[in-house]
Amino acid sequence: MRLFPNSLAGRTVLLVVAVIAVAEFATLSLIGHFRRTSHLNQTVQLIASQVRLLQIVLPSLDAAGRRQLSGADAGERGLQLGPDDSHVPRHQPRFRFARHLAVELGERLGEPVLLRHGGPGQRTGLWIGFLAGGERWWLILPPPRFEPQELPADLWLGLAATLAAVLLIAGLFVRGIVRPLARLGDAVAATGDGAARRVMPEGPREVRRLAARHNTMLDQLATAAAERREMLAGLTHDLRAPLARLRLRQALLDSDTERAGIAHDLDDMERIVGQCLQFLRSEEADRAPVPLPIAALLRDGVARQRELGRAIELTISAAAEPRKVAIAAGNLQRLLDNLIDNALQHGAPPVRVEFSMADASLARLLVRDHGPGIAEADRQRALEAFAQLEPARATNGSCGLGLAIVRRIAAGCGGEVLLGEAPDGGLEVVVCLPTS
């Protein structure tokens, strides 16, 4: 069970609520303390003045005057004079107000006072005993004068309005912190997926500084990638001239066996150079590719493969026939060629190509072979550049770029590549592309 939210916004709001709750609890405690203290002081002052007055008046009164005074009500103060000891409760009160009242009255009057009450749970008055003219008299304090008073409803409404206002202000501040962080997180995630995205520095100073460093990192990565592309492009271009010379020398050899061996090695080398060039070209993002009806392009691409004597089956659903995908024609051709080459080189014919709709806005290009497939644990690594799942592939004209090229082209169109196992065996590559 999690005690705290996972998100920064949730934890910040929880912190604000906790701080406000503690502050309001402390405020209410202080208000209650001052109310109780003020109420006690007022009650002590009222009773002390009444007792002094009665101590002066009672000795000079006759029996009729005393009876009249004992039955009278002191008015809005709620103080009454008890007639005798017969009706006085015998229970000594233990609650805090009574203890403090006894101490304060004793200090004010200069003599101890007696307190009596009906007992716990009894809503009776508090009897206060004092001496006047050598006799014990009792003053009755009604329950409303010593029972805890509830806070007024207006105070609760004011506190609730204050809490709502503070939460609103805190929410706005938290939003100003979390939203820039969320945008920065999305930009970092997009960069990790190969689609570098800059972010506008906004929010607090630390967040702005982090966003600026992210943008600086993107610039440095772009510069390094450009230098790497230039170096690899020059290297692969320079290799074509020695390959052409080797072709010429191979043709001049007398031995058919030597010519066949060298021709095989030259084919492997040219295939590796071609894959490197395609990988470099797949990094060049189209700024605004025009949506193309790729069904016709797929038919042309499969037709070219069949002209080379390759066993390729093509199926296009009626729903996918008119749909368009924002992809350059050259990238689509490279994507299809690499999928078919990979299926024939590492799988087994026949190769099946299917183009259908995964849902209303997502096209599904499936290429399936009948080879051994790829183990589930190795499928994610197979999509990485220069990944060699089997050492033998490195000596068979492959440098591990085929599926990496496919994934990069698909990611540039906002799609993704998934590897799976065909129902009847073999590798199943699914390329999902958004349509229009």
Side-chain angles (χ1 to χ4, degrees), residues 205-376:
R205 179 179 59 187
E206 292 80 4
V207 180
R208 294 198 307 269
R209 184 182 303 168
L210 187 59
R213 290 179 178 176
H214 169 75
N215 294 336
T216 302
M217 179 191 69
L218 290 185
D219 294 337
Q220 294 172 347
L221 289 175
T223 301
E227 293 175 352
R228 179 172 59 87
R229 286 196 300 270
E230 183 177 356
M231 180 187 67
L232 290 176
L235 178 61
T236 52
H237 181 271
D238 292 342
L239 283 174
R240 291 200 177 270
L243 287 174
R245 291 194 295 269
L246 285 174
R247 288 278 186 192
L248 179 59
R249 293 178 181 178
Q250 173 255 340
L252 298 177
L253 290 175
D254 295 331
S255 172
D256 293 337
T257 303
E258 291 182 358
R259 280 200 305 270
I262 293 177
H264 179 73
D265 291 340
L266 289 173
D267 291 339
D268 289 346
M269 293 174 66
E270 286 186 343
R271 188 181 298 111
I272 293 174
V273 171
Q275 283 188 342
C276 289
L277 286 175
Q278 288 188 25
F279 184 73
L280 293 173
R281 288 169 185 159
S282 68
E283 287 186 331
E284 301 173 0
D286 248 332
R287 292 184 180 178
V290 179
L292 300 175
I294 67 171
L297 296 175
L298 290 175
R299 287 192 182 93
D300 293 341
V302 171
R304 283 194 292 270
Q305 294 287 339
R306 288 172 176 169
E307 290 175 358
L308 298 175
R310 295 178 168 182
I312 311 295
E313 301 175 2
L314 175 63
T315 302
I316 298 178
S317 68
E321 181 73 38
R323 304 310 292 265
K324 296 181 179 181
V325 175
I327 185 173
N331 279 341
L332 178 62
Q333 185 62 50
R334 280 191 285 272
L335 183 146
L336 181 62
D337 289 346
N338 276 280
L339 286 176
I340 294 176
D341 289 346
N342 187 78
L344 292 174
Q345 186 175 1
H346 305 296
V351 175
R352 184 169 186 81
V353 179
E354 297 179 4
F355 181 57
S356 59
M357 297 299 297
D359 55 41
S361 60
L362 197 65
R364 179 173 176 269
L365 176 62
L366 182 145
V367 177
R368 178 186 304 167
D369 63 51
H370 293 77
I374 297 177
E376 185 176 358

Side-chain angles (χ1 to χ4, degrees), residues 119-185:
Q122 300 293 323
R123 198 175 185 276
T124 60
L126 185 64
W127 294 66
I128 305 169
F130 63 94
L131 294 175
E135 297 177 316
R136 175 72 64 186
W137 290 83
W138 296 89
L139 198 61
I140 303 174
L141 186 65
R145 297 293 300 179
F146 63 84
E147 289 183 346
Q149 298 183 355
E150 296 182 357
L151 294 175
D154 293 344
L155 178 60
W156 289 107
L157 292 176
L159 290 175
T162 302
L163 176 61
V166 172
L167 285 177
L168 177 61
I169 295 173
L172 294 176
F173 274 96
V174 170
R175 183 183 180 187
I177 296 173
V178 174
R179 286 186 65 183
L181 282 176
R183 293 194 184 99
L184 181 58

Side-chain angles (χ1 to χ4, degrees), residues 187-205:
V188 171
T191 302
D193 293 336
R197 184 193 303 173
R198 300 178 68 86
V199 64
M200 178 67 67
E202 57 182 341
R205 179 179 59 187

Side-chain angles (χ1 to χ4, degrees), residues 381-395:
R381 188 163 64 92
L383 295 171
E384 299 175 359
F386 302 104
Q388 296 286 355
L389 302 183
E390 299 175 6
R393 294 188 178 186
T395 60

